Structures are given as structure tokens and as C-alpha cells.
Amino acid sequence: MADNLPTEFDVVVVGTGLPESIIAAACARSGQRVLHVDSRNYYGGNWASFSFSGLLSWIKENQQKADLSDECEDWRKLILEDEEAIPLSSKDKTIQHVEDFCFGDRDCFFEQHLTNQDSAEGVEEAGALPKLRVLGALAAQGESPGPEKESPAEMGIALGSQESPAEMGIALGSQESPAEMGIALGSQESPAAEVSPGSEKENAAVGSPGEEPQGCSEAARAAAGDGAGAAPGPGAAPSTADGDSAPQPAKTEAAPSENAAQEPKKITYSQIVREGRRFNIDLVSKLLYSRGLLIDLLIKSNVSRYAEFKNATRVLAFREGKVEQVPCSRADVFNSRQLTMVEKRMLMKFLTFCLDYEQHPEEYQEHESSTFAEFLQTRKLTPSLQHFILHSIAMVAETESSTLEGLQATKKFLQCLGRYGNTPFLFPLYGQGEIPQCFCRLCAVFGGIYCLRHAVRCLVLDRASGRCKAIVDQFGQRISANYFIVEDSYLSESTCTNVCYRQISRAVLITDQSVLNTDSEQQVSILTVPPLEPGRAAVRVIELCSSTMTCMKDTYLVHLTCPSTKTAREDLEPVVQKLFNLNTEKETENEELQKPRVLWAVYFNMRDSSGVERSSYAGLPSNVYVCSGPDSALGNDCAVKQAETIFREMFPAEEFCPPPPNPEDIIYDEDEIEPEESGLNNSPETKPETSAEESSSEGGAAVTKEE
């Protein structure tokens, strides 16, 4: 409980988004005393992933108007005469214009308007907000299958697992070419024939970083260590609600071939509710570049042991009203039937130039003031090649990106090819919300204290020094620290008066088919739709299959993202209508019948606080640092750069997220520490196999001992 919290820390972090979680992990790893709090009852903030029922609760909360008139301000009595308070916001205002829709059978509309007194308690899980928005009697009868998670062979492998199936993935740095199914980063052993037990997860919603944080409130403990919200240990066996073992991989692999020629199964809203635990729906849609800053950090810090990834299997393009696959690698280019032999040579020649364009400045110097689209027109490329390069490889704005920006983006794309598959991208199994939790787990392993549903009322400023010296929490407790990290959404309107925010338009769809059907149903696809009219931005579409553990079988989860010009629905619905069938009537044209059918959709606008200068925030002390929320970019480089910059400003002499020490290298002083007292046992006779969490815990003991 909060009453038991220590009153002094080195660093207090408010918010559990990705940048804050990275900073907390880096600080704890360098030996700092860290308190990490969040007023929400789930990890990740706007980086979180939700089960379907959890998302419905989130939607309802953000559709309700804030009423702060009755807010208690008793904390002001705790401020002394020589102090000044900087109030923090008690309401998250980063989400706007939330609209959700159910398509398909009429029964779903009936269910959508049932009252909460008919709600199904069996469908709510850890990580969901207090009440559900749309749960009907049918959902109550068909209870969710508990914490079961399918684990087919194509699903993926734990990044830090000691064993990984040879047919599914490779260890980082291996010279073998990976299969398209799963990726193991940082594995220390050669691939074996079976999946590591640690690769199974029961975490269906936004839950714990894996370790029960010290000093948590009840809400934090519920979200962090109980039931379905907690990730099992490496020895945990996956099970269904009925106690049966998880489905066998062979059965799952056989399904696509059996159903390839059949029409898609009819999925009803009640089925989606019943299978809600199988959904892990991201608030922010991103992929990880295989040679990006986040992958490098995960490997360097050994946080990769806590996560699993799947390779994005294809890059798509939308041209002349049709979706087609873009050849990326050399093999793809020469095997492509879309391109003529001349086009293949043109494309390979241009991509080869982009890999070392810095060595040939004469090729692009006179076009530096031009856009990348104009530069492509001078390279004697056909219109189809220009389209592929601009929208599917470089993925830059047609009218805004310069020649150098386009060349840099193309080079980055090409450099990431082949590291883990035929595309440059990886996706974390169970959703993007897993990544902040991984860093929270590392912080907890090295002594960080976590409290969810723990609001901070204000920052306490010492007038004499001009520095922030404490926070006051919801219980009136004053907690002192040297440095304070605050997520942008917690700052009050008075602090952000001079800040000019951008907005991101987001849509999440549940569909019954892929946007481009192939022999394999298990595809992770990225598609960029060019602006449909002048003044609009290109829309990025990421389609996830069930093997990513983000949706139920026979459905796809589709994320649409673009910078906002209007509301999210106005920005994105024209693209949705181009790609999908929204018609709920039985009589539809043949062209519409060929499109995937949307079963459910939500639109919302999210604040983009990236790129805001520190000077824009009014009255912030020098030892208070602000972390931004998600940006509209595809990768996570902005969050990693921001976290490292803030950490180095606080602790310039410390290494940023160094790898934990090898447990075998730890030397204990027998006179000062006994295995029974410390709770650690390094004897190889008594513990031949050491889990990832235990290894990290031992590493934390080593750091403490050295100090």
C-alpha cells in the first residue's frame, strides 16, 4: 500500500509509457532508487494493448466527459510557505473523438445497447477498466476461455529462450536465414526441436511487467501478479480454462490449407466478445525495424529475454484501386511476376545506388532542393517502380519529403532487410504494449518500486533553489527525489499553455479476411495508401493475423494511422471504404463481396507530443523532465532517443542500459551474505536451470554488492 512507500528516492517516474519505462529501467540498472507510478490501472499509457473487453472499457472511459468540479484539493494544505506547487492533471485529455461501430448481423446491434446490469463478469480480465461498455447476455453464457493462449508453431519464440525450434526462428547473429514464423533474439544456444516453455504466455490483456513490484497498491498487485494478468514462469505449462492442453501446432498448421478454398467463416459480435481474451489491441500501431534503435537496446540490455517477436511477412502497395505485393529482397525482385525484366534491372540498379548514395553525391546534389518524388522522376523509373519506392520502401510523404530524406529512408529499409527475414520489420507477439512492460520488469528486477492506480497531485518546488524536491500523491504522502520524469499527459493546462500539439488519427478494425489473400493465412502485412485527395496524408495500414496473438482465429486485426487533418473518422473512413466492405445488407455488389468484411471498428484521435521543445512548458524546474507520448512514425526511434537523452542529462557518467552481469561471474562474500538469507542460490547442483527472471535478480545482487 502507499502508506508503506519509502519517502525518499533518487528518481520518481510518473507514467508507464515506453520512454518512461526505458528511463526507469536504465536508472534502476545503474543503481538508482526508482519509484514508478501511474494513475491508470494498467501499464503502458497510450502505448498499451488491451483485450477486447478492456478496449471497450477504455472506449467508454474516453467517451465520458470529464467533470473535475468536485476534485479535492486538500493537498494544497501540505505546501509550506517557502514552497510552490505545480499541479498535475487528474484527467487524461490525449484521446478525442472516439467512435466505435459494429457491423454485420442485427444481433450485434441488439447486444450493443444492452445495459451493464446484463454484463458478463466472466469476460472481464485483469487489465480491463472497471466497467465494460458492450457485453450482453450471450457473452455471459459463453464465458471467455480464461487465460488460454494458442501457441502454434508459426507463432514465434521467446526472445531470450534457451531453446528455439529450428523450423521457426533463429538466434540473433546467426548466419542462418530465418523462417518467416518467429524470431529469437539473444538466444544463447543453437535451435532445438521444441519450443522453450518460457515462450508460452497467459497474459491476455495489459498486465504485469512479469514481477510483482515492491510496495504496490492493491490495484497494482491485481494487474501485476494475479490470474490472467501475470506472465507465468519459464516452467509454466499453457492450459485452457477447462484444464486442457493448448492446441497442437500440427492442427493449427493444417487449418489454412483446409480452408483456403472455402469462404470466410461468419464471425458474429457475440463470438468476438466470448473470445475477447484472444485479442491484444494496440492503442498505437508500430513495427520494429530489425536494425532500429529499439531492437539494439533490447539486445544490449538483455530485455529481449522477456519478449517474443514475429517477422512481418510482406510489404504491400495500393495502386490503381488494387492491393499488390511489393518485391523487397533481391530474390523477391527476380521472382516477381508484376515487373518486366527491364523494370527488375532498373529497380535493382536504383536500390544498389541507395545503399551507398553518400559515395555518389554527384547523383543527387542538384536535386537536394527537390522532393523525393521529383527526384525519382529523373531516374528513368517507370510509374509503378516510382510508386513502390516512394510509398512502400521509403514510405515518405510525396509532397513534403526531400530527396535526402527519401534516400535515407530507402537506405534504412534496405539495411534492415535479411536480418530476421525478407522484410525489415518485426512485430512483438501479444502487441506493442508488451515492450514497455519488458522494461518495467527489468526495473523491478533491479529494485524499482511500482504502483498502479496511484495518482500524483502535484510537484513541490523549492522557491529558494528553483528545483523540484518532492511529489504529493493521492494519499497526501510527500515523496522526495533528486529527479522527476513526467509523461506529457499528466501536465496541467496551465503548464502546457504555450505548447502546440499535433494529432494522430487512428482506426482499429476487426475483419474476416486479409486485404490480399494468399495460400498462407498467417501474414503480417504493412501497406501504405497514398493520399486519396490533395491536402490529405498517406495512411499506413498494418494487418495482423492470429499467429501474432492479437486476434482470434479466422479474424484479422487492422490498424490504420495517419497525421490528423480532421477527426479520425473523417481522415480514415475513405481509406476503409476503399479496402473493406462496410455494407451490412445482404445485397451487395460483387466487387464489395470480394473485399474483407469489417466486423467491428473504432476511430479515435491521439495527441502527438513528440518534438515539443522543453522551453514550451511553462515553469518547469531544471530537474523535471517531460516524456512525450507516441508519435506517428512507424518505428520507435523517437522514444529511445528521448529516453537516452534524458538519462544522460541526469547521469552523464553512467552507461545507458548496460547488459546485466553473467550469473556465473558473480562472487559472493560468504562472511557478509548467506544464500538462505539473501534468497539466492547459485549452486549448480541444486539449480541446474536458471530462469531469466532469477538470472536478472542475481545480477541485481551483484550490482548491490559491488557498490
Side-chain angles (χ1 to χ4, degrees):
M1 295 296 292
D3 295 339
N4 299 325
L5 283 176
T7 57
E8 292 187 4
F9 290 88
D10 296 313
V11 181
V12 172
V13 184
V14 182
T16 53
L18 181 57
E20 306 95 86
S21 299
I22 294 175
I23 293 172
C27 291
R29 179 65 186 88
S30 64
Q32 310 299 321
R33 297 168 298 169
V34 177
L35 172 64
H36 201 171
V37 300
D38 199 324
S39 61
R40 305 172 180 91
N41 67 341
Y42 55 87
Y43 289 89
N46 284 346
W47 302 79
S49 302
F50 291 102
S51 66
F52 188 70
S53 60
L55 184 64
L56 295 178
S57 302
W58 178 88
I59 289 171
K60 181 175 182 179
E61 182 184 77
N62 283 280
Q63 286 177 336
Q64 293 173 341
K65 294 183 179 180
D67 183 10
L68 306 180
S69 57
D70 298 331
E71 182 181 350
C72 179
E73 295 192 354
D74 290 344
W75 54 267
R76 291 189 180 275
K77 301 176 183 178
L78 304 173
I79 307 302
L80 306 179
E81 291 184 0
D82 61 342
E83 297 174 342
E84 183 180 343
I86 302 178
L88 297 183
S89 175
S90 59
K91 176 66 177 179
D92 183 2
K93 299 180 181 179
T94 60
I95 305 297
Q96 297 177 332
H97 309 301
V98 182
E99 302 177 77
D100 60 319
F101 302 91
C102 180
F103 301 90
D105 297 336
R106 294 182 182 273
D107 67 333
C108 72
F109 294 99
F110 169 73
E111 289 182 84
Q112 199 167 11
H113 292 87
L114 289 178
T115 59
N116 276 335
Q117 62 186 357
D118 297 324
S119 66
E121 295 181 359
V123 190
E124 184 173 6
E125 63 272 357
L129 300 181
K131 290 186 179 180
L132 305 182
R133 178 169 186 267
V134 186
L135 289 179
L138 289 177
Q141 296 170 3
E143 191 169 328
S144 172
E148 176 197 0
K149 284 284 184 180
E150 286 190 13
S151 179
E154 70 272 20
M155 182 177 68
I157 310 167
L159 274 75
S161 64
Q162 298 300 310
E163 296 179 352
S164 56
E167 68 274 11
M168 289 159 49
I170 59 166
L172 181 68
S174 169
Q175 298 303 313
E176 298 178 17
S177 59
E180 64 180 35
M181 299 175 187
I183 304 299
L185 303 184
S187 176
Q188 300 299 317
E189 297 186 8
S190 59
E194 59 184 21
V195 181
S196 165
S199 67
E200 299 290 347
K201 289 191 65 179
E202 294 179 357
N203 180 13
V206 178
S208 159
E211 295 239 346
E212 183 175 341
Q214 307 169 25
C216 288
S217 63
E218 271 184 69
R221 291 179 185 276
D226 297 340
S239 62
T240 64
D242 298 325
D244 299 330
S245 59
Q248 296 298 319
K251 295 180 181 179
T252 308
E253 291 171 354
S257 59
E258 294 172 2
N259 300 331
Q262 299 178 8
E263 293 184 1
K265 294 181 180 179
K266 192 172 185 180
I267 306 294
T268 64
Y269 183 80
S270 58
Q271 286 178 275
I272 293 176
V273 172
R274 285 198 300 269
E275 299 285 334
R277 284 184 179 272
R278 297 191 181 275
F279 289 87
N280 285 286
I281 303 172
D282 296 328
L283 295 184
V284 58
S285 176
K286 290 180 177 289
L287 294 175
L288 283 71
Y289 280 92
S290 63
R291 296 187 188 276
L293 295 181
L294 184 54
I295 288 292
D296 291 343
L297 181 61
L298 287 167
I299 297 169
K300 173 191 172 185
S301 62
N302 214 9
V303 172
S304 58
R305 74 181 74 185
Y306 301 132
E308 306 165 72
F309 289 85
K310 182 177 175 66
N311 181 235
T313 54
R314 59 186 182 178
V315 178
L316 305 178
F318 184 77
R319 192 168 67 93
E320 298 177 354
K322 295 182 179 179
V323 177
E324 41 190 47
Q325 187 164 344
V326 177
C328 298
S329 65
R330 181 185 295 269
D332 288 342
V333 170
F334 287 103
N335 289 332
S336 173
R337 297 181 180 179
Q338 306 163 239
L339 306 178
T340 65
M341 186 58 67
V342 174
E343 285 180 317
K344 292 177 182 179
R345 290 173 181 167
M346 287 180 180
L347 181 58
M348 287 305 302
K349 182 179 179 181
F350 180 77
L351 296 181
T352 303
F353 156 72
C354 290
L355 273 173
D356 61 349
Y357 72 91
E358 298 98 332
Q359 306 302 320
H360 306 282
E362 69 281 358
E363 297 280 344
Y364 63 86
Q365 274 182 342
E366 61 183 38
H367 303 286
E368 286 186 2
S369 59
S370 306
T371 65
F372 187 53
E374 293 169 344
F375 172 70
L376 291 177
Q377 293 173 4
T378 68
R379 301 296 298 185
K380 299 180 181 179
L381 298 169
T382 63
S384 60
L385 292 182
Q386 292 179 35
H387 183 96
F388 288 160
I389 295 168
L390 182 66
H391 297 292
S392 300
I393 295 179
M395 288 183 281
V396 294
E398 186 172 353
T399 57
E400 299 175 5
S401 299
S402 67
T403 296
L404 280 179
E405 289 174 340
L407 290 173
Q408 290 167 359
T410 304
K411 181 177 180 178
K412 181 178 181 180
F413 183 98
L414 297 173
Q415 286 179 327
C416 294
L417 281 174
R419 190 178 192 188
Y420 297 119
N422 290 331
T423 72
F425 308 112
L426 296 175
F427 179 78
L429 298 190
Y430 305 97
Q432 177 76 27
E434 290 295 297
I435 304 300
Q437 293 184 65
C438 291
F439 285 99
C440 289
R441 179 180 293 185
L442 179 65
C443 178
V445 164
F446 284 94
I449 296 178
Y450 278 82
C451 287
L452 297 181
R453 199 176 287 172
H454 194 102
V456 176
R457 297 303 182 198
C458 70
L459 302 174
V460 181
L461 177 66
D462 181 61
R463 289 181 176 176
S465 64
R467 290 174 63 86
C468 182
K469 65 179 185 180
I471 61 169
V472 176
D473 67 11
Q474 63 190 28
F475 301 105
Q477 182 178 5
R478 179 183 288 237
I479 301 173
S480 302
N482 298 325
Y483 298 99
F484 301 85
I485 315 297
V486 182
E487 202 269 322
D488 175 89
S489 65
Y490 286 89
L491 298 177
S492 64
E493 290 184 1
S494 59
T495 304
C496 303
T497 302
N498 301 323
V499 179
C500 183
Y501 291 113
R502 299 185 297 270
Q503 295 288 326
I504 304 170
S505 291
R506 290 276 293 114
V508 181
L509 317 177
I510 299 175
T511 67
D512 64 346
Q513 294 183 69
S514 172
V515 291
L516 182 63
N517 285 320
T518 59
D519 294 338
S520 173
E521 292 181 353
Q522 300 302 317
Q523 300 278 4
V524 178
S525 311
I526 175 171
L527 163 67
T528 301
V529 179
L532 298 181
E533 59 184 58
R536 294 292 185 96
V539 175
R540 183 175 70 244
V541 181
I542 295 178
E543 183 184 71
L544 305 173
C545 59
S546 60
S547 66
T548 61
M549 314 310 291
T550 58
C551 58
M552 60 182 282
K553 187 179 178 183
D554 298 319
T555 64
Y556 289 84
L557 195 64
V558 182
H559 292 273
L560 294 90
T561 308
C562 75
S564 298
T565 57
K566 300 179 181 178
T567 68
R569 186 181 176 190
E570 291 173 320
D571 283 337
L572 299 175
E573 195 169 52
V575 175
V576 173
Q577 291 172 344
K578 286 280 186 181
L579 296 174
F580 302 97
N581 176 14
L582 298 177
N583 199 333
T584 59
E585 301 296 330
K586 294 184 178 180
E587 295 182 1
T588 56
E589 298 180 2
N590 291 333
E591 182 180 350
E592 289 295 313
L593 288 173
Q594 294 174 0
K595 296 179 181 178
R597 187 167 66 98
V598 177
L599 308 173
W600 182 86
V602 62
Y603 297 89
F604 60 91
N605 289 93
M606 177 184 289
R607 178 194 292 177
D608 180 358
S609 54
S610 62
V612 175
E613 295 291 335
R614 178 184 174 84
S615 58
S616 301
Y617 297 105
L620 281 186
S622 59
N623 62 332
V624 175
Y625 299 89
V626 180
C627 287
S628 65
D631 61 348
S632 60
L634 176 61
N636 297 274
D637 287 1
C638 179
V640 178
K641 287 178 181 177
Q642 185 180 52
E644 184 171 3
T645 299
I646 292 175
F647 177 81
R648 295 196 185 283
E649 287 183 15
M650 295 189 296
F651 308 107
E654 298 289 343
E655 184 181 358
F656 179 64
C657 281
N662 189 335
E664 297 177 358
D665 297 335
I666 300 175
I667 300 176
Y668 294 97
D669 189 338
E670 296 180 357
D671 296 333
E672 297 183 16
I673 183 170
E674 294 293 335
E676 292 77 15
E677 297 175 357
S678 65
L680 299 173
N681 191 338
N682 296 313
S683 171
E685 289 80 7
T686 58
K687 189 182 289 185
E689 295 182 4
T690 306
S691 68
E693 289 81 358
E694 291 166 340
S695 299
S696 298
S697 299
E698 294 171 8
V703 172
T704 306
K705 184 62 188 169
E706 288 171 2
E707 294 176 352

